[in-house]
Amino acid sequence: MGIIRITNIQIYAYHGCLVEEGKIGSDYRVDVEVKADLQPSAKSDHLRDTVDYVQVNRIVKEEMVMRSKLLEHVGKRILDRILTEIDIATEATVEVSKINPPIGGNVEQVTIQMTLSK
């Protein structure tokens, strides 16, 4: 078993419950961890035998473009696609962070973390 991590994917998106968030948008950070058997790729040295982090990054970007009210909703969509589209993935964890959230205080970010297994 092994872990592939893609850290600090930076995206501008329009998630949130407030109407203004859908118009103005915010900066987001997404971190992904995918667990899989990495021994075959360690032996073969072939991309087809591992978790392609380009594909993971593409999934994150495509899902972050689709507006959600809740970060949990977009996080679940990301996890579902990773586990569906990456055959060797056995478990995935995603953290979605909204930078400078509009919550009436000086808050650097809010983050949700979710894990899903096959």
Side-chain angles (χ1 to χ4, degrees), residues 47-75:
L47 180 59
R48 69 176 178 265
D49 295 330
T50 193
V51 175
D52 183 351
Y53 46 83
V54 172
Q55 181 181 10
V56 174
N57 187 55
R58 181 180 46 78
I59 289 169
V60 168
K61 287 182 175 182
E62 289 173 359
E63 293 303 323
M64 288 296 290
V65 167
M66 293 188 294
R67 187 175 186 324
S68 291
K69 291 178 185 172
L70 301 177
L71 298 181
E72 295 90 324
H73 188 255
V74 71

Short mmCIF file of all heavy atoms in Angstrom, two decimals, residues 47-75:
data_model
loop_
_atom_site.label_atom_id
_atom_site.label_comp_id
_atom_site.label_asym_id
_atom_site.label_seq_id
_atom_site.Cartn_x
_atom_site.Cartn_y
_atom_site.Cartn_z
N LEU A 47 3.37 4.69 -15.90
CA LEU A 47 2.32 5.56 -15.39
C LEU A 47 0.98 4.84 -15.28
O LEU A 47 0.21 5.08 -14.35
CB LEU A 47 2.17 6.80 -16.29
CG LEU A 47 1.12 7.83 -15.91
CD1 LEU A 47 1.38 8.40 -14.51
CD2 LEU A 47 1.07 8.94 -16.94
N ARG A 48 0.72 3.91 -16.19
CA ARG A 48 -0.57 3.20 -16.19
C ARG A 48 -0.77 2.35 -14.92
O ARG A 48 -1.88 1.94 -14.62
CB ARG A 48 -0.71 2.33 -17.43
CG ARG A 48 0.23 1.14 -17.45
CD ARG A 48 0.01 0.23 -18.65
NE ARG A 48 0.97 -0.84 -18.64
CZ ARG A 48 2.13 -0.85 -19.29
NH1 ARG A 48 2.46 0.19 -20.04
NH2 ARG A 48 2.96 -1.87 -19.21
N ASP A 49 0.31 2.10 -14.17
CA ASP A 49 0.24 1.25 -12.98
C ASP A 49 0.13 2.03 -11.68
O ASP A 49 0.23 1.45 -10.60
CB ASP A 49 1.48 0.35 -12.90
CG ASP A 49 1.54 -0.64 -14.05
OD1 ASP A 49 0.48 -1.05 -14.55
OD2 ASP A 49 2.67 -1.01 -14.45
N THR A 50 -0.07 3.35 -11.78
CA THR A 50 -0.09 4.15 -10.56
C THR A 50 -1.26 5.14 -10.58
O THR A 50 -2.07 5.16 -11.50
CB THR A 50 1.25 4.89 -10.37
OG1 THR A 50 1.30 5.42 -9.03
CG2 THR A 50 1.45 6.00 -11.39
N VAL A 51 -1.32 5.99 -9.58
CA VAL A 51 -2.29 7.07 -9.52
C VAL A 51 -1.69 8.25 -10.28
O VAL A 51 -0.64 8.78 -9.90
CB VAL A 51 -2.57 7.47 -8.05
CG1 VAL A 51 -3.48 8.69 -7.98
CG2 VAL A 51 -3.14 6.30 -7.27
N ASP A 52 -2.33 8.63 -11.36
CA ASP A 52 -1.85 9.75 -12.18
C ASP A 52 -2.29 11.05 -11.52
O ASP A 52 -3.47 11.39 -11.51
CB ASP A 52 -2.43 9.62 -13.59
CG ASP A 52 -1.95 10.70 -14.54
OD1 ASP A 52 -1.28 11.66 -14.10
OD2 ASP A 52 -2.25 10.58 -15.74
N TYR A 53 -1.35 11.78 -10.95
CA TYR A 53 -1.73 13.00 -10.23
C TYR A 53 -2.20 14.10 -11.16
O TYR A 53 -2.89 15.02 -10.74
CB TYR A 53 -0.64 13.50 -9.28
CG TYR A 53 0.76 13.53 -9.81
CD1 TYR A 53 1.22 14.59 -10.57
CD2 TYR A 53 1.65 12.50 -9.52
CE1 TYR A 53 2.51 14.62 -11.04
CE2 TYR A 53 2.95 12.52 -9.99
CZ TYR A 53 3.38 13.59 -10.76
OH TYR A 53 4.66 13.62 -11.23
N VAL A 54 -1.89 14.00 -12.45
CA VAL A 54 -2.45 14.95 -13.43
C VAL A 54 -3.96 14.72 -13.52
O VAL A 54 -4.74 15.68 -13.57
CB VAL A 54 -1.77 14.79 -14.80
CG1 VAL A 54 -2.47 15.63 -15.86
CG2 VAL A 54 -0.29 15.17 -14.71
N GLN A 55 -4.37 13.46 -13.51
CA GLN A 55 -5.79 13.13 -13.55
C GLN A 55 -6.50 13.60 -12.28
O GLN A 55 -7.60 14.14 -12.34
CB GLN A 55 -5.98 11.63 -13.73
CG GLN A 55 -7.43 11.20 -13.81
CD GLN A 55 -7.61 9.70 -13.95
OE1 GLN A 55 -6.66 8.93 -13.81
NE2 GLN A 55 -8.82 9.27 -14.22
N VAL A 56 -5.87 13.42 -11.13
CA VAL A 56 -6.46 13.87 -9.86
C VAL A 56 -6.63 15.39 -9.89
O VAL A 56 -7.70 15.91 -9.52
CB VAL A 56 -5.60 13.44 -8.65
CG1 VAL A 56 -6.14 14.05 -7.37
CG2 VAL A 56 -5.52 11.92 -8.54
N ASN A 57 -5.62 16.10 -10.33
CA ASN A 57 -5.70 17.56 -10.42
C ASN A 57 -6.83 18.00 -11.36
O ASN A 57 -7.57 18.93 -11.06
CB ASN A 57 -4.35 18.12 -10.90
CG ASN A 57 -4.30 19.61 -10.86
OD1 ASN A 57 -4.54 20.24 -9.84
ND2 ASN A 57 -3.98 20.22 -12.00
N ARG A 58 -6.99 17.31 -12.48
CA ARG A 58 -8.06 17.62 -13.43
C ARG A 58 -9.43 17.40 -12.79
O ARG A 58 -10.33 18.24 -12.93
CB ARG A 58 -7.91 16.77 -14.69
CG ARG A 58 -8.98 17.06 -15.74
CD ARG A 58 -8.84 16.20 -17.00
NE ARG A 58 -8.61 14.79 -16.74
CZ ARG A 58 -9.56 13.91 -16.38
NH1 ARG A 58 -10.80 14.30 -16.23
NH2 ARG A 58 -9.25 12.64 -16.17
N ILE A 59 -9.59 16.29 -12.07
CA ILE A 59 -10.86 16.00 -11.39
C ILE A 59 -11.19 17.12 -10.41
O ILE A 59 -12.32 17.63 -10.38
CB ILE A 59 -10.80 14.64 -10.67
CG1 ILE A 59 -10.81 13.49 -11.69
CG2 ILE A 59 -11.96 14.49 -9.68
CD1 ILE A 59 -10.48 12.13 -11.10
N VAL A 60 -10.21 17.53 -9.61
CA VAL A 60 -10.43 18.60 -8.63
C VAL A 60 -10.87 19.87 -9.34
O VAL A 60 -11.87 20.51 -8.96
CB VAL A 60 -9.16 18.85 -7.79
CG1 VAL A 60 -9.29 20.14 -6.99
CG2 VAL A 60 -8.90 17.66 -6.87
N LYS A 61 -10.16 20.26 -10.39
CA LYS A 61 -10.50 21.51 -11.09
C LYS A 61 -11.89 21.44 -11.71
O LYS A 61 -12.66 22.40 -11.63
CB LYS A 61 -9.46 21.80 -12.17
CG LYS A 61 -8.15 22.27 -11.58
CD LYS A 61 -7.15 22.61 -12.66
CE LYS A 61 -5.88 23.18 -12.05
NZ LYS A 61 -4.91 23.56 -13.08
N GLU A 62 -12.24 20.30 -12.31
CA GLU A 62 -13.57 20.17 -12.94
C GLU A 62 -14.69 20.22 -11.90
O GLU A 62 -15.74 20.83 -12.15
CB GLU A 62 -13.64 18.87 -13.74
CG GLU A 62 -12.81 18.89 -14.99
CD GLU A 62 -12.74 17.55 -15.72
OE1 GLU A 62 -13.34 16.56 -15.23
OE2 GLU A 62 -12.08 17.50 -16.77
N GLU A 63 -14.49 19.63 -10.76
CA GLU A 63 -15.52 19.64 -9.73
C GLU A 63 -15.62 20.98 -9.01
O GLU A 63 -16.71 21.40 -8.62
CB GLU A 63 -15.31 18.50 -8.73
CG GLU A 63 -15.52 17.13 -9.32
CD GLU A 63 -16.89 16.91 -9.95
OE1 GLU A 63 -17.90 17.42 -9.41
OE2 GLU A 63 -16.96 16.22 -10.98
N MET A 64 -14.50 21.65 -8.85
CA MET A 64 -14.52 22.96 -8.18
C MET A 64 -15.21 24.03 -9.04
O MET A 64 -15.72 25.01 -8.50
CB MET A 64 -13.10 23.40 -7.83
CG MET A 64 -12.47 22.63 -6.68
SD MET A 64 -13.30 22.83 -5.10
CE MET A 64 -12.91 24.54 -4.72
N VAL A 65 -15.28 23.84 -10.33
CA VAL A 65 -15.94 24.80 -11.21
C VAL A 65 -17.46 24.76 -11.01
O VAL A 65 -18.13 25.78 -11.16
CB VAL A 65 -15.59 24.49 -12.70
CG1 VAL A 65 -16.49 25.24 -13.66
CG2 VAL A 65 -14.14 24.84 -12.97
N MET A 66 -17.99 23.61 -10.65
CA MET A 66 -19.44 23.48 -10.46
C MET A 66 -19.83 23.98 -9.07
O MET A 66 -19.40 23.43 -8.06
CB MET A 66 -19.87 22.02 -10.65
CG MET A 66 -19.69 21.55 -12.08
SD MET A 66 -20.38 19.93 -12.39
CE MET A 66 -19.35 18.89 -11.37
N ARG A 67 -20.63 25.02 -9.03
CA ARG A 67 -20.97 25.69 -7.78
C ARG A 67 -21.75 24.77 -6.84
O ARG A 67 -22.65 24.04 -7.25
CB ARG A 67 -21.82 26.92 -8.09
CG ARG A 67 -22.10 27.80 -6.88
CD ARG A 67 -22.83 29.06 -7.29
NE ARG A 67 -23.09 30.11 -6.37
CZ ARG A 67 -23.39 30.06 -5.09
NH1 ARG A 67 -23.44 28.92 -4.48
NH2 ARG A 67 -23.64 31.13 -4.38
N SER A 68 -21.38 24.83 -5.57
CA SER A 68 -22.09 24.14 -4.49
C SER A 68 -22.30 25.13 -3.35
O SER A 68 -21.50 26.05 -3.16
CB SER A 68 -21.26 22.96 -3.97
OG SER A 68 -21.17 21.93 -4.91
N LYS A 69 -23.34 24.93 -2.60
CA LYS A 69 -23.54 25.76 -1.41
C LYS A 69 -22.56 25.36 -0.32
O LYS A 69 -22.04 26.21 0.40
CB LYS A 69 -24.97 25.63 -0.90
CG LYS A 69 -26.00 26.24 -1.83
CD LYS A 69 -27.40 26.04 -1.28
CE LYS A 69 -28.43 26.55 -2.26
NZ LYS A 69 -29.79 26.20 -1.83
N LEU A 70 -22.32 24.04 -0.19
CA LEU A 70 -21.49 23.53 0.90
C LEU A 70 -20.20 22.91 0.38
O LEU A 70 -20.20 22.21 -0.64
CB LEU A 70 -22.25 22.48 1.70
CG LEU A 70 -23.56 22.94 2.35
CD1 LEU A 70 -24.24 21.77 3.05
CD2 LEU A 70 -23.32 24.09 3.31
N LEU A 71 -19.11 23.12 1.13
CA LEU A 71 -17.83 22.50 0.77
C LEU A 71 -17.92 20.98 0.85
O LEU A 71 -17.25 20.27 0.11
CB LEU A 71 -16.72 23.02 1.68
CG LEU A 71 -16.44 24.53 1.61
CD1 LEU A 71 -15.30 24.89 2.55
CD2 LEU A 71 -16.14 24.97 0.19
N GLU A 72 -18.76 20.48 1.74
CA GLU A 72 -18.95 19.04 1.86
C GLU A 72 -19.46 18.43 0.55
O GLU A 72 -19.08 17.33 0.17
CB GLU A 72 -19.94 18.71 2.98
CG GLU A 72 -19.48 19.08 4.36
CD GLU A 72 -19.87 20.50 4.78
OE1 GLU A 72 -19.88 21.44 3.93
OE2 GLU A 72 -20.16 20.68 5.98
N HIS A 73 -20.31 19.16 -0.12
CA HIS A 73 -20.90 18.67 -1.37
C HIS A 73 -19.84 18.56 -2.46
O HIS A 73 -19.74 17.53 -3.14
CB HIS A 73 -22.03 19.62 -1.80
CG HIS A 73 -22.82 19.11 -2.95
ND1 HIS A 73 -22.69 19.61 -4.22
CD2 HIS A 73 -23.75 18.13 -3.02
CE1 HIS A 73 -23.50 18.97 -5.03
NE2 HIS A 73 -24.16 18.06 -4.33
N VAL A 74 -19.04 19.59 -2.62
CA VAL A 74 -17.98 19.52 -3.64
C VAL A 74 -16.93 18.49 -3.25
O VAL A 74 -16.39 17.77 -4.10
CB VAL A 74 -17.37 20.91 -3.93
CG1 VAL A 74 -16.52 21.43 -2.80
CG2 VAL A 74 -16.57 20.90 -5.22
N GLY A 75 -16.63 18.37 -1.96
CA GLY A 75 -15.67 17.36 -1.51
C GLY A 75 -16.12 15.95 -1.83
O GLY A 75 -15.35 15.12 -2.30
#
